[in-house]
Amino acid sequence: MPEQSRSVTFKNVSKVWPGGVKAVDGVSLEVAAGSFVALVGASGSGKSTLLKMVNRLIEPSEGQVLVGGEPVDAGPAPELRRRIGYVFQNVGLFPHMRVGENVAIGLRLAGEKDSARRVAELLELVELSPEMATRIPDALSGGQRQRVGVARALATGPGILLMDEPFGALDPVTRDGLGKAIRALHDRMGLTTILVTHDMAEALLLADRVLVMEKGRIVADAIPRDLLAGKGGPAADALVAVPREQAHRLAELEK
Ligand code: ADP
Ligand code: MG
């Protein structure tokens, strides 16, 4: 995919659910091609709703979402989704299908046959052995399942990767390892990545730019260095204070 087709733009986007909940409230945002953006916020702040409007799992009530400068609804949704990898909150692997079939599902939807070789490549990409292809998801650890979810998201060679709390259920060591692996993949493949997380430390350590969401609005938008310097505003400061205080206490213990 050409570099410039990897940008994501929100133009005054809102989503009001039936019943009146305004999950996303007038968001305007430009995510540059090749950047790694973290979207941080409390549960219910609208992160998943915002993310799902990029690949049209949710349609905005107002405003417009553009990918590569083109409105996302300019063409058919399946075509759009081949250009956008999506890692679900809670993984969402099909339990009755083998790992290989789970990874290949996007390829098969795109009409590709004989995907065994591609599946092996994709598993290698996320540092899983090719033998894993014949296992069912239940026979994997949580971290391995997440890697399968990433392999599946990258199957069609997308330029954009959306991840919705992909590390939520993992232990801290696995979580840290997978975060680094994803950042390395992002850099190597020149992806545009949007990572939803509720963990500010993770956001600061992995992303080029951190957005904080509150009640459907973006209330902070800054690079990690500026957030740590207190330039992100009160909402960001409150979130940054937690890992900073922990780091400080750990440093004290080491004295
Ligand atoms: P987050 O991902 O930050 O936890 P969500 O985007 O899932 O937040 O939800 C934002 C708001 O929209 C919440 O109030 C939630 O209850 C509501 N919401 C999300 N999905 C739906 C839906 N399908 N129908 C109605 N309300 C929804
Ligand atoms: Mg969510």
Side-chain angles (χ1 to χ4, degrees):
M1 194 197 294
E3 172 76 18
Q4 62 275 17
S5 60
R6 299 179 178 203
S7 65
V8 179
T9 311
F10 295 88
K11 280 189 183 168
N12 199 22
V13 172
S14 296
K15 176 68 190 183
V16 184
W17 291 109
V21 175
K22 201 162 198 178
V24 172
D25 188 1
V27 168
S28 291
L29 188 66
E30 175 81 41
V31 177
S35 61
F36 193 124
V37 174
L39 183 58
V40 186
S43 181
S45 57
K47 306 181 298 295
S48 295
T49 304
L50 190 68
L51 198 70
K52 286 177 183 169
M53 288 193 280
V54 179
N55 61 2
R56 289 179 67 188
L57 292 176
I58 293 174
E59 303 285 344
S61 317
E62 261 177 71
Q64 205 173 35
V65 184
L66 302 102
V67 163
E70 293 281 316
V72 289
D73 56 1
E79 195 177 293
L80 175 81
R81 291 186 191 134
R82 280 200 288 280
R83 298 162 55 204
I84 303 174
Y86 178 59
V87 181
F88 298 71
Q89 195 164 357
N90 309 318
V91 201
L93 296 182
F94 295 103
H96 57 283
M97 282 166 55
R98 292 175 196 279
V99 163
E101 294 168 318
N102 267 288
V103 170
I105 207 155
L107 296 173
R108 229 186 290 156
L109 290 175
E112 280 185 41
K113 291 186 189 112
D114 192 27
S115 51
R117 191 174 163 165
R118 179 80 182 128
V119 167
E121 279 171 15
L122 287 159
L123 290 177
E124 197 187 336
L125 197 65
V126 296
E127 292 160 22
L128 290 175
S129 76
E131 297 93 79
M132 297 268 181
T134 56
R135 293 208 199 161
I136 56 162
D138 255 1
L140 301 178
S141 71
Q144 288 169 334
R145 276 199 288 274
Q146 281 301 7
R147 286 174 189 267
V148 174
V150 174
R152 177 178 60 186
L154 295 175
T156 55
I160 296 168
L161 181 60
L162 309 176
M163 289 187 287
D164 198 346
E165 303 201 29
F167 315 131
L170 302 176
D171 67 85
V173 175
T174 306
R175 188 177 176 126
D176 191 52
L178 198 51
K180 286 176 184 156
I182 290 200
R183 177 72 220 206
L185 274 177
H186 164 93
D187 292 336
R188 186 146 51 95
M189 300 172 78
L191 300 169
T192 303
T193 301
I194 306 178
L195 169 72
V196 169
T197 173
H198 53 251
D199 184 339
M200 179 54 95
E202 188 168 87
L204 291 167
L205 290 168
L206 290 178
D208 304 319
R209 175 181 175 197
V210 179
L211 307 171
V212 178
M213 220 171 160
E214 227 175 59
K215 297 186 182 130
R217 295 173 183 232
I218 305 290
V219 295
D221 176 357
I223 62 169
R225 182 179 293 275
D226 285 352
L227 283 179
L228 287 165
K231 294 177 189 166
D237 282 350
L239 294 173
V240 170
V242 180
R244 193 211 307 278
E245 223 257 313
Q246 287 177 333
H248 181 69
R249 275 156 53 202
L250 289 172
E252 285 294 312
L253 282 176
E254 278 187 327
K255 275 188 184 161

